[in-house]
Amino acid sequence: MIYQDGPIGQKAAKERLKRKQGKDKVGETTVTNLLQQFRDTIVEIEDQKKQDRKIMLEQQAMMIQQSQEKQELDRIEKEEKIMKMNISNLDLISAVYFKNKKLEIIQKRGFNF
């Protein structure tokens, strides 16, 4: 009779276990790689979202600035219209009103009387 280290089939069972563990390690590596790729993708998406938000805020700031500039131009045009207005043909109340408006505009522009 031949003496063996373990029961019959023990060696084959150990070999199967080693092969299975080897496959699991390959699978674990693949899963780890997939998880890392997933994390990298999430980071890229978050970075893109931040970039998109930054661009959107810059566009909003530009639109606000343009709106303010347009309002300023409109105000200046209205003031110029008032300054050029001939008040001699107006009734007394309207003439006084526009005369006071002209004085306000002149003072606002830095001219004092």
Side-chain angles (χ1 to χ4, degrees):
M1 178 169 201
I2 300 174
Y3 181 73
Q4 295 182 354
D5 291 331
I8 300 173
Q10 185 72 23
K11 190 172 182 179
K14 284 183 182 180
E15 285 297 320
R16 281 195 307 270
L17 183 61
K18 283 182 185 178
R19 277 186 263 135
K20 184 179 179 195
Q21 286 176 346
K23 287 180 182 177
D24 286 347
K25 286 183 182 177
V26 170
E28 287 174 14
T29 304
T30 304
V31 170
T32 304
N33 289 339
L34 288 174
L35 285 174
Q36 187 59 43
Q37 289 174 355
F38 182 70
R39 287 184 193 117
D40 293 344
T41 303
I42 289 174
V43 168
E44 288 176 14
I45 290 170
E46 290 299 320
D47 289 344
Q48 186 62 42
K49 282 182 182 179
K50 287 178 185 177
Q51 190 68 18
D52 291 346
R53 277 188 226 121
K54 182 180 176 184
I55 291 170
M56 184 182 68
L57 290 173
E58 288 172 353
Q59 288 174 343
Q60 286 177 343
M62 190 182 313
M63 289 174 59
I64 290 170
Q65 182 181 0
Q66 289 173 347
S67 175
Q68 290 172 340
E69 289 172 357
K70 185 180 181 316
Q71 288 175 351
E72 181 67 15
L73 287 174
D74 289 345
R75 183 188 62 78
I76 291 170
E77 286 177 10
K78 288 177 185 176
E79 287 179 353
E80 288 299 317
K81 194 173 184 181
I82 291 171
M83 293 301 290
K84 292 178 182 178
M85 184 180 276
N86 182 2
I87 60 172
S88 62
N89 298 333
L90 297 177
D91 63 279
L92 183 62
I93 295 173
S94 297
V96 170
Y97 174 81
F98 284 108
K99 185 177 180 181
N100 287 334
K101 281 289 185 187
K102 285 182 180 185
L103 288 173
E104 286 176 22
I105 293 168
I106 290 170
Q107 288 174 349
K108 193 186 316 179
R109 292 182 180 175
F111 300 107
N112 292 320
F113 293 102

